[in-house]
Amino acid sequence: MGDTNFLASMTFASGEIACNCDECDCGPSVPLDIQRAVQEHLKKRKFEQPVFESSQQLNIQQQRELVKRESGVSVWKLVMPRYHGRGADPIVEYRNSHRILFVKKMPQNATIQSIGKGIIGSAAEESSRKFVNWKQGSSYFLPCSSGIACGWVNTTTITDEKSSTTDNDDVKNTPGGGEDDNVVVYTMKVSPRDLERNQKEEETQQLSPWVAKAVELFGSLSSKESNDEQMLSSELTDKVSEIFNLVMN
């Protein structure tokens, strides 16, 4: 049962006809009728499958949007609303790609936690979540680590948490504010396979400027041995910002 609940929170469980996830290698060669059937099944499972055997449902309020994909490199926008108490369930991904996170917007009253171990939303998973010290305008490198899941939750600050005297289900899943409280993160991803291919073909293949710069940056970072999230220097963050500016313009 845990597997089906976990899959229901994965980003490929969307309502789109074609899967927009860069983790599952679903290409245009898949017949349209099969794509529709798979997506309808995933959509139904996402909304009907409970996290536990009780009546509790997955409550995914985060939004993930594909901004651009080219030559195996993709850019995504993740919007995380702020929630009181335990908060809403996070979008979950497998770390099958190298990724660079750029924190576009980080309200002062927001606190970010990475997902813990266990079924998403379970007491064990929530109690093992760790605080993430993200800063607005900073960037972070998360290397590929196949089989390891990642995801984040935007919660209230510790001060706000302690000041709350109510602890019921209505409060646990109540938004903490409007769009001003949203955390916005842009993520750039590339799989080790696509990175290696682009590096080999860089001299013969005409890569667009933003892809070429992304490949160069990922190439300089992917050799690091640590699997932990690493904050990038201001110099590297400037390079990240330059790439995102090329993507947006």
Side-chain angles (χ1 to χ4, degrees):
M1 177 178 148
D3 291 340
T4 58
N5 289 316
F6 183 77
L7 287 172
S9 70
M10 298 297 289
T11 54
F12 54 70
S14 65
E16 303 296 330
I17 292 178
C19 178
N20 64 356
C21 178
D22 62 338
E23 308 285 2
C24 63
D25 295 328
C26 178
S29 60
V30 179
L32 189 59
D33 57 341
I34 295 180
Q35 292 183 30
R36 285 198 180 100
V38 170
Q39 292 305 319
E40 284 300 318
H41 171 71
L42 291 172
K43 183 177 180 180
K44 180 178 180 181
R45 182 171 60 185
K46 176 180 177 180
F47 288 104
E48 294 182 355
Q49 180 67 44
V51 178
F52 307 108
E53 293 184 1
S54 64
S55 60
Q56 181 177 351
Q57 302 288 319
L58 285 172
N59 181 29
I60 300 176
Q61 301 296 328
Q62 298 179 0
Q63 298 176 356
R64 178 179 180 270
E65 173 188 355
L66 175 63
V67 178
K68 197 166 189 177
R69 179 192 279 130
E70 186 178 331
S71 301
V73 184
S74 59
V75 174
W76 303 81
K77 179 181 179 181
L78 176 63
V79 178
M80 294 183 283
R82 183 167 70 96
Y83 278 74
H84 287 302
R86 292 185 351 194
D89 298 306
I91 288 178
V92 177
E93 301 176 339
Y94 278 121
R95 286 172 51 182
N96 295 335
S97 299
H98 299 303
R99 62 193 70 205
I100 294 174
L101 311 175
F102 176 73
V103 183
K104 177 68 174 179
K105 180 185 174 188
M106 181 73 179
Q108 293 183 349
N109 58 349
T111 301
I112 302 298
Q113 291 179 291
S114 60
I115 60 173
K117 297 180 180 180
I119 300 174
I120 299 301
S122 67
E125 185 272 320
E126 291 184 350
S127 64
S128 61
R129 290 178 180 177
K130 296 181 179 179
F131 289 100
V132 177
N133 189 26
W134 284 351
K135 297 180 180 180
Q136 182 168 303
S138 297
S139 57
Y140 305 83
F141 176 61
L142 195 60
C144 171
S145 185
S146 297
I148 303 299
C150 65
W152 301 270
V153 178
N154 175 13
T155 65
T156 59
T157 61
I158 296 178
T159 301
D160 289 339
E161 197 89 44
K162 290 181 178 179
S163 65
S164 176
T165 58
T166 306
D167 186 26
N168 54 47
D169 292 338
D170 292 334
V171 173
K172 289 176 182 177
N173 289 325
T174 300
E179 292 185 0
D180 290 341
D181 292 313
N182 291 348
V183 171
V184 180
V185 178
Y186 283 92
T187 306
M188 183 164 49
K189 304 180 186 180
V190 66
S191 68
R193 180 185 60 187
D194 288 328
L195 177 60
E196 183 179 3
R197 185 194 68 213
N198 284 326
Q199 287 174 320
K200 290 181 178 180
E201 298 178 359
E202 190 169 7
E203 295 182 359
T204 58
Q205 178 182 342
Q206 188 65 32
L207 298 176
S208 63
W210 79 270
V211 175
K213 290 180 180 295
V215 168
E216 180 181 2
L217 181 56
F218 273 114
S220 67
L221 296 172
S222 60
S223 59
K224 298 180 180 294
E225 295 182 357
S226 174
N227 286 327
D228 298 330
E229 181 180 285
Q230 306 157 38
M231 183 176 182
L232 300 184
S233 66
S234 57
E235 180 181 355
L236 291 177
T237 295
D238 288 341
K239 293 183 178 181
V240 173
S241 298
E242 181 182 359
I243 294 172
F244 282 122
N245 287 334
L246 290 173
V247 170
M248 302 301 177
N249 297 327

